């Protein structure tokens, strides 16, 4: 429905039972299938002037995130992301907004962090969603832009993470694509029936839930 929720919710849950590299693979394969449908459906609401300053830096951030996936402990990365996500999502849900006037310039840093996090932990949504929510983008533009960005970055990730794309991981990931497609059609029906304010609250709530889920998983694994 939102164009980014699958990775936010599935990522933390799957890491309880599966290895991090397999989780990234699953999110990549199912995400691309889902996001292609979302991006096509919202194609009339994607504006290059607003989307490109996010998408191009996101692509550049992917190699950095892929490197971190191999070199940095996932627990450190996910814990940091979780704390930031919780703080800012709560602030926005409570009505605190600080509109950024130089949106295009800020988009560069946000896009880069989103691409880095997509490749590094399979969860690139928090910086992008918090930024767009703060800026008050219309829900159609919001959804179309996020879907286009994640489709591009996820596609590139598939090539970069070739070293972890074993036969068994690829087979498991491919088998879950139909579930992602079914989810798109259900989410699309819901998207057409909700207001912009409800869409924003759902988006921020997903970030908040994902943040707490990541914290819980880190605590659970440290026991």
């Amino acid at each position: 429905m939102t164009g980014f929720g699958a990775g936010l919710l599935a990522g933390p849950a799957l890491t309880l039972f599966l290895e991090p590299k397999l989780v990234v693979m699953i999110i990549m394969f199912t995400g691309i299938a889902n996001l292609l449908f979302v991006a096509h459906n919202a194609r009339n609401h994607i504006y290059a002037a607003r989307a490109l300053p996010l998408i191009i830096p996101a692509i550049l951030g992917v190699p950095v995130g892929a490197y971190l996936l191999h070199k940095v402990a996932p627990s450190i990365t996910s814990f940091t992301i979780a704390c930031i996500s919780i703080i800012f999502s709560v602030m926005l849900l409570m009505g605190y907004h600080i509109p950024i006037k130089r949106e295009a310039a800020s988009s560069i840093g946000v896009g880069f962090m989103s691409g880095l996090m997509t490749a590094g932990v399979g969860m690139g949504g928090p910086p992008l969603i918090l930024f767009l929510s703060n800026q008050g983008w219309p829900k159609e533009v919001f959804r179309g832009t996020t879907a286009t960005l994640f489709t591009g970055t996820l596609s590139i990730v598939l090539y970069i993470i070739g070293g972890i794309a074993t036969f068994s991981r690829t087979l498991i990931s491919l088998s879950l694509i139909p579930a992602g497609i079914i989810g798109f059609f259900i989410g699309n029906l819901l998207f057409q029936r909700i207001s912009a304010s409800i869409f924003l609250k759902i988006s921020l709530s997903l970030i908040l839930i994902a943040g707490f889920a990541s914290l819980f998983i880190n605590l659970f694994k440290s026991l």
Side-chain angles (χ1 to χ4, degrees):
M1 178 173 67
T2 59
F4 59 86
L8 286 175
L9 296 181
L14 290 174
T15 53
L16 283 172
F17 312 101
L18 304 173
E19 58 170 330
K21 292 180 180 179
L22 175 56
V23 172
V24 173
M25 285 284 295
I26 290 173
I27 292 173
M28 297 304 109
F29 277 91
T30 57
I32 287 174
N34 193 318
L35 292 171
L36 284 172
F37 280 102
V38 175
H40 179 266
N41 189 260
R43 62 190 181 280
N44 294 327
H45 300 285
I46 300 170
Y47 304 104
R50 303 187 84 176
L52 289 179
L54 289 165
I55 294 172
I56 294 175
I59 293 172
L60 296 177
V62 167
V64 181
Y67 174 80
L68 293 176
L69 178 63
H70 291 280
K71 300 296 182 180
V72 179
S75 58
I76 296 175
T77 307
S78 60
F79 180 81
T80 303
I81 294 169
C83 291
I84 295 172
S85 300
I86 290 171
I87 292 170
F88 283 96
S89 58
V90 168
M91 288 176 61
L92 290 170
L93 281 168
M94 292 178 65
Y96 292 98
H97 293 266
I98 307 176
I100 300 171
K101 294 182 179 180
R102 299 185 63 181
E103 185 176 274
S106 301
S107 295
I108 295 173
V110 172
F112 183 85
M113 285 302 301
S114 182
L116 183 153
M117 289 167 57
T118 297
V121 293
M123 194 174 76
L128 179 64
I129 306 314
L130 293 173
F131 176 68
L132 300 188
S133 299
N134 182 69
Q135 294 301 99
W137 282 31
K139 69 170 187 173
E140 294 83 4
V141 181
F142 189 127
R143 186 182 188 229
T145 302
T146 54
T148 303
L149 184 147
F150 289 129
T151 300
T153 55
L154 292 177
S155 299
I156 292 171
V157 168
L158 284 178
Y159 294 99
I160 294 178
I161 64 175
I164 68 170
T166 62
F167 177 77
S168 60
R169 289 173 183 157
T170 302
L171 190 63
I172 293 171
S173 301
L174 288 173
S175 68
L176 295 173
I177 288 179
I181 295 174
I182 293 171
F184 158 75
F185 286 105
I186 295 174
N188 194 53
L189 290 174
L190 293 174
F191 177 80
Q192 296 171 7
R193 288 167 171 76
I194 62 173
S195 65
S197 61
I198 293 176
F199 176 81
L200 179 60
K201 290 179 180 178
I202 291 174
S203 300
L204 293 172
S205 296
L206 288 176
I207 298 291
L208 186 61
I209 292 169
F212 278 116
S214 294
L215 283 180
F216 171 78
I217 290 168
N218 277 293
L219 292 173
F220 179 81
K221 289 185 175 180
S222 65
L223 296 178

